[in-house]
Amino acid sequence: ENLGSVQSCLHALQTVVSELSPGWRVRPFGSTANGFATRGSDLDVTCCRCGIQPGCGMPLGVVELQSKLLKALEARTMFEVVEDVRTARVPILRLKFEQSLDVDLSFQNVEPLPNTQLLRAYAALDPCVRNLVILVKLW
């Protein structure tokens, strides 16, 4: 997807999250964040508290933040709430940003973040690495 659209979406999400509850941050992960996105890739984002480590469990306030964030995003025209999936193992808000970018917003889902950093480092090694991964991904 368009890098400008991704950055605009992340900025808009962070703005809304910061207004609702200080100490929460929006962190991208997955193919859009690690450099292996292809045309039509969605943006995977997690909303997490600063300083929370993987395996520490869901901190208090996640469910409340998700409810408040749902209402706040519904009130903004740049976001369309497509689906609210609270019964999944990792609850997700499926969004559409500016009618073009699909966004999956999870909460306190920090486990994918180190993997994203590792894959981003591989992609930065050599352009051939990215090309090979994209080839395998599309195969």
Side-chain angles (χ1 to χ4, degrees), residues 7-47:
Q7 292 303 321
S8 294
C9 179
L10 291 171
H11 183 267
L13 284 171
Q14 184 60 59
T15 299
V16 175
V17 168
S18 296
E19 288 171 2
L20 294 175
S21 181
W24 287 87
R25 296 292 174 258
V26 171
R27 303 275 309 273
F29 65 93
S31 62
T32 302
N34 64 28
F36 296 117
T38 56
R39 171 172 273 155
S41 291
D42 69 348
L43 173 60
D44 297 304
V45 182
T46 190
C47 183

Side-chain angles (χ1 to χ4, degrees), residues 56-63 66 89 91 107-109:
C56 291
M58 299 288 274
L60 295 175
V62 171
V63 174
Q66 185 176 4
R89 183 181 64 81
F107 296 83
Q108 205 53 39
N109 181 25

Side-chain angles (χ1 to χ4, degrees), residues 31-102:
S31 62
T32 302
N34 64 28
F36 296 117
T38 56
R39 171 172 273 155
S41 291
D42 69 348
L43 173 60
D44 297 304
V45 182
T46 190
C47 183
C48 55
R49 282 190 178 170
C50 296
I52 300 294
Q53 298 298 318
C56 291
M58 299 288 274
L60 295 175
V62 171
V63 174
E64 183 181 7
L65 178 66
Q66 185 176 4
S67 296
K68 286 182 179 181
L69 191 55
L70 174 63
K71 290 176 186 166
L73 291 172
E74 287 175 332
R76 287 180 164 73
T77 58
M78 67 185 78
F79 289 102
E80 174 191 348
V81 177
V82 176
E83 188 177 11
D84 180 9
V85 185
R86 295 190 190 204
T87 57
R89 183 181 64 81
V90 177
I92 299 261
L93 286 178
R94 293 193 194 285
L95 310 169
K96 189 161 290 271
F97 178 70
E98 295 183 339
Q99 301 177 348
S100 63
L101 178 62
D102 292 320

